[in-house]
Amino acid sequence: METITTDINTLGDYLCGQGWLKKEERVLAVETPGAGNMNFTLRVRTNQGSFIIKQSRAYVEKYPQVPAPVDRSLREAEFYTLIDQYDILKAQMPKLRGVDKENYVLNLEDLGDGIDYSFLYQKERYLKESELEEIMAFAVNLHSNIHLGTTDIKIPNREMRRLNHEHIFVFPYLQENGLNLDDIIPGLREVGNIFKQDKVLINIVQQLGERYLIDGKTLLHGDYFPGSWLNTSGGIKIIDPEFCFFGEPEFEIGVTLAHLKLAAQPQTIIDKALKFYMDRAPLQKELCFQFMATEVLRRILGLAQLPLSLNVEERHTLLQEAKEILV
Ligand SMILES: Nc1ncnc2c1ncn2[C@@H]1O[C@H](COP(=O)(O)OP(=O)(O)OP(=O)(O)O)[C@@H](O)[C@H]1O
Ligand SMILES: [Mg+2]
């Protein structure tokens, strides 16, 4: 496997070999397009424009000691292939310009240096209603257009799902998982232990985990949270479907609602998100809330931490609310 580098000459040769440079096109510069953890992502600037290169490797880019499915970018490519006949979905994603299956590299349209919505976790940053609608519309359109009734293609993406399963349904509840919660915010360890010792809660979470692993009918983005929503001059764009799979829409919407809670968005925004979706597509509300609760628990107690601005009491309240939904 060829490892992509930031060296302009080597990179130029590689891109040329793939047929990804036009006749007189030359690489002028490369830059990091934004904060990512999982993959090697580059913005390539040429004398004729720019594009994004994303390579998946057998490990997590930011933590090379942590293994990850090497071919995950091909699952991401499959997602782009499946949405290809739906203009309404394509309009909200970058165009996939090329795939190098041998080296697990995607060539994506550059959406410009718009920031993602992670700023929502900061204090007093709120989603506008029009933005919320763009975000929920993509999910509704995805779920209502691409399902077993409309396509024979399946993306089990089992390895990525297994990885995510560990992070969502297993690690957060281990007494020792390599993470000292007090390092995140003092006092969180003691609070966390209340939930890590709750056998009834853990049992219910485990059952939801089994449900996440079962193949469902509907194509999900699989990682639908503020880090996958880009704010661009052309509206909100959705990126990074590497965790996509056919599952239950309740998982996707539950995750989305959880992040609105973790970002301390007003309850009216959360209600509106749910209403927008449920006015347009079927959803089992109770199951959706259960997945929401599970995502809240894992983002506070698990390894995949977020830049939250909640104090320890606020986190405790969210954990308690989540528990009450589940138990
Ligand atoms: N098509 C694009 N146009 C412009 N910027 C992009 C594009 N794709 C990705 N980026 C930028 O690069 C960052 C990382 O991309 P992406 O999320 O796809 O990588 P990742 O390694 O899977 O990240 P993560 O670890 O968060 O899953 C994004 O947050 C965004 O800022
Ligand atoms: Mg990713």
Side-chain angles (χ1 to χ4, degrees), residues 206-221:
Q206 253 170 28
Q207 288 173 36
L208 283 164
E210 293 309 309
R211 212 160 163 158
Y212 168 77
L213 290 175
I214 294 171
D215 289 333
K217 296 192 176 105
T218 310
L219 180 61
L220 310 184
H221 175 280

Side-chain angles (χ1 to χ4, degrees), residues 33-39 41 43 52 54 94 108-112 114 116 227 230 239-240 242:
N37 295 325
M38 283 289 281
N39 304 287
T41 314
R43 170 177 285 117
I52 304 288
K54 180 171 178 180
L108 292 157
E109 173 193 358
D110 185 4
L111 298 169
D116 72 41
L230 275 194
I239 58 165
D240 198 16
E242 63 184 339

Side-chain angles (χ1 to χ4, degrees), residues 161-206:
R161 240 195 297 173
R162 200 155 294 135
L163 180 73
N164 223 11
H165 177 268
E166 295 275 297
H167 279 275
I168 301 173
F169 303 96
V170 182
F171 287 154
Y173 305 95
L174 297 181
Q175 213 49 254
E176 291 308 327
N177 57 14
L179 179 73
N180 180 3
L181 290 172
D182 276 347
D183 290 345
I184 292 156
I185 188 166
L188 190 59
R189 189 181 167 88
E190 197 184 330
V191 168
N193 281 337
I194 306 171
F195 299 88
K196 289 184 185 208
Q197 285 156 8
D198 191 327
K199 294 218 167 64
V200 179
L201 173 70
I202 292 172
N203 190 15
I204 292 167
V205 170
Q206 253 170 28

Side-chain angles (χ1 to χ4, degrees), residues 85-186:
Q85 50 177 305
Y86 300 97
D87 289 344
I88 197 161
L89 295 171
K90 279 165 78 177
Q92 271 188 279
M93 290 193 82
K95 192 173 151 44
L96 180 62
R97 296 162 30 116
V99 184
D100 169 7
K101 290 189 178 168
E102 251 162 69
N103 300 301
Y104 312 113
V105 181
L106 306 182
N107 176 344
L108 292 157
E109 173 193 358
D110 185 4
L111 298 169
D113 42 16
I115 49 161
D116 72 41
Y117 274 81
S118 301
F119 65 80
L120 284 179
Y121 303 116
Q122 294 167 20
K123 271 208 180 321
E124 282 161 50
R125 296 295 300 268
Y126 302 113
L127 210 50
K128 291 191 208 110
E129 208 173 316
S130 58
E131 294 174 309
L132 182 76
E133 289 182 0
E134 283 184 68
I135 291 161
M136 297 313 293
F138 181 85
V140 170
N141 291 330
L142 177 66
H143 301 162
S144 14
N145 281 307
I146 309 182
H147 48 76
L148 294 188
T150 58
T151 178
D152 293 330
I153 299 167
K154 297 188 176 109
I155 313 179
N157 206 356
R158 247 179 258 296
E159 284 185 79
M160 286 294 271
R161 240 195 297 173
R162 200 155 294 135
L163 180 73
N164 223 11
H165 177 268
E166 295 275 297
H167 279 275
I168 301 173
F169 303 96
V170 182
F171 287 154
Y173 305 95
L174 297 181
Q175 213 49 254
E176 291 308 327
N177 57 14
L179 179 73
N180 180 3
L181 290 172
D182 276 347
D183 290 345
I184 292 156
I185 188 166

